[in-house]
Amino acid sequence: MTCHLGRGLWMVAGLWMAGWTTANGQEAPAANDADAVMPLQLPAQQPDPQIRKVQDRLYQLAMKQAHHLLATVHPWSEDPQLKLLTDSKSLEHWIRPNSASVQGFAFLFRFGPYDDKVVGVSRKALLEETIIPVMRYLVATHVTGPRPTSDGKKWGNHWQSAYWAQMLGRAAWWCWTDLPPDLRAGVRRVVAHEAQRYLPETPPHQLKDDTKAEENAWNSMIFDVAVLLMPADPRREAWEKAFQRWAMSSFLRPADEHSGKIVDGRPVSEQYIGANIYDDFTLENHRKVHPDYMGAFSLTVSCSLDFQMTGRKPPEAILHNVPEIYENLKWFFLPDGGCVYPNGEDWELFVNITGWTDLHIQMAVYARDPDGWSLLQRTLATTEKMQARHPDGAIHAREEYFYPGTQHGNLDELAREWLMLQFAGEIVDRPRPLIGVRHLEQGKIILNRTPRAVHTLSWGPVIMAQCVPLRMDRLVSPHDRSAVGTVLLKGERRPLPLRLENARVSQQAGGFTGELTVDHGDALRAELRFVSKADGTFQISEKLTALRAVETVEIATGLIGVLNNPKWVYENHRRRIQLGEHSAEVPALSGVIVEGPAVRRIDVDGVLRIESPAPLQARYAGTRRIERGRATDELNLNYLGGERSLKSGQVVSTYEVTITPMVEPGQAASGK
């Protein structure tokens, strides 16, 4: 499919958007007005019908999410004329949700086919009773304002506060001529202050453990918004240069130090500060190779929209190394719109599905990626199913997230997505099936995508392996001890740490082989072998040997995390487990334990079939709690409970299994 913008003027809520007018019918300020913001313009053409259908779905999601959030808006206890959506405190978990929400509300006030009945209030009421009072709260309690929050401190001058300020600033830009003059001045003070903090700074860089890619990306955005609000300011040129510099710094890799590629008129080597991503276009954050943060380029790329809305050409730095990062990410995506996590996932597993929508639209619109549009369809369909669970319009179930700004960030993202599609122009939709092996050498990850499952093996910051069925109910949870498991010594409360002694990984036609030697502390050594095959089968073997005389109370290796959630849209909220001849149903959060000594065959939900030539000491333990936004039951293929005294050099256990995903090719597309 190739979509093109149609012809003709576009009318929204009775407003002609070929030129920009305000909701009260006033014309936007002229460009030569000293007090003016940058003039905002939308295309005169109506988007292609296929694009418009997606826009309509996004707008419905946004209105319903706004309805949910509006129910949380309340007067500030210290000044009822000011409002907020959280408790009144000065740090991220309280300021960021308010700035994200007000940007989303401002979008609905300014753009699109607004429906009072869906949102629950009129556009006028949304402005007067929510947008302006929340903006006033944020302006008043910033370090440039007169009042502290209720924790006795003002917000700002924080490692992330420039990010919060840019959302406030963009919200004001969208509503500018409908805001009181004193509020406009206050927003400008906030934005200018946060921009000036970083103006003289050199963007930081770090490869190992915690990249600075995301931080540099969000800090770049404040310079973009400063120009939007203060185009006549004498600091404008400095802000524009700073935006390009910080955006460029975000995703530099070591090879860029010597790159002659010209970006924004200069060789990349002349702009090199230091690397934040590896040469294989992976990065580390939270001490792991983290797909969520590989997608942090959505922050800088989203600023392309501001340039389009003001008739300017975006800097080329915005897309530097981005298509290559996205190409890696495609290998991680699953049929439900989420990701496989080869290094585990410390954020919410299902929440990030909504965030990937932003990424796919950006790549379809700004990079003309042929896969972006089809990947978008997955995330959008899942998000709609998520929201359909809740009459109040909330997208996420409460137990699915722990970050306080989750629901608020959804509205902010939906706003950008709708607007980006308004500028989409041509969409290239020629998805290519990803089948085969992706070896990310610096990230120390190898993936094999087969028609039935994706296999992952990692031997870097996190040592784990997975066989994840390619179906809407992904079944397998990204437990960070997957396949390796745990050893607990007598008298200890935590499992022994893992240490990689040796790794040999080779790629074959249609698969890979990995041989790892992994120590559980200084007590036991695991010799592990993984074989990934093109037909979707995944073989695992382990030999466990004591390194010294030691007493254990639990050996639980060969771990497979099994998702078993009470409300997730693609799960049945129970799992059917068969260990040998014994079968049992394990309801979500039930804590049911199923043990099967001396079994040669295990079946999980009719989806994963596990077979062994020798008897296994297996155990399935249902969880009673939700952690990190999901419920993970644990299946151990090698479970040795109770106290054991081991001698140095003793072979503790061995096992080998073949895991076969019972998934027919194409099953994911049918929603099964």
Side-chain angles (χ1 to χ4, degrees), residues 564-580:
N564 195 2
N565 291 281
K567 295 182 181 178
W568 181 238
V569 296
Y570 296 121
E571 293 181 26
N572 291 325
H573 324 312
R574 58 182 55 82
R575 296 297 181 188
R576 190 77 182 174
I577 310 303
Q578 185 167 346
L579 300 181

Side-chain angles (χ1 to χ4, degrees), residues 542-563:
E542 177 191 73
K543 178 182 178 182
L544 201 60
T545 306
L547 294 173
R548 61 179 176 86
V550 66
E551 293 185 313
T552 65
V553 293
E554 184 181 66
I555 296 172
T557 60
L559 172 64
I560 299 175
V562 178
L563 292 168

Side-chain angles (χ1 to χ4, degrees), residues 373-395:
W373 193 252
S374 63
L375 289 169
L376 158 67
Q377 308 309 314
R378 300 182 191 179
T379 59
L380 185 54
T382 297
T383 303
E384 289 170 331
K385 283 182 175 289
M386 294 164 70
Q387 191 176 64
R389 298 174 296 179
H390 306 123
D392 72 342
I395 290 175

Side-chain angles (χ1 to χ4, degrees), residues 229-301:
L229 295 186
M230 294 164 277
D233 193 287
R235 296 167 290 188
R236 173 178 173 173
E237 183 178 356
W239 289 336
E240 290 175 328
K241 290 180 178 179
F243 173 73
Q244 193 276 346
R245 181 172 71 252
W246 282 78
M248 185 70 181
S249 75
S250 300
F251 302 100
L252 289 170
R253 60 193 187 117
D256 284 328
E257 184 174 10
H258 306 290
S259 172
K261 178 182 177 182
I262 304 299
V263 174
D264 296 317
R266 297 169 58 206
V268 169
S269 59
E270 292 183 8
Q271 304 181 59
Y272 184 81
I273 299 170
N276 279 311
I277 67 172
Y278 290 114
D279 281 330
D280 64 2
F281 303 100
T282 60
L283 58 74
E284 289 185 24
N285 209 19
H286 295 194
R287 298 174 180 84
K288 64 183 67 183
V289 175
H290 210 312
D292 295 352
Y293 292 93
M294 288 167 66
F297 63 74
S298 64
L299 297 168
T300 47
V301 176

Side-chain angles (χ1 to χ4, degrees), residues 10-24:
W10 176 56
M11 193 175 183
V12 171
L15 303 177
W16 290 104
M17 303 300 283
W20 182 53
T21 59
T22 69
N24 61 18

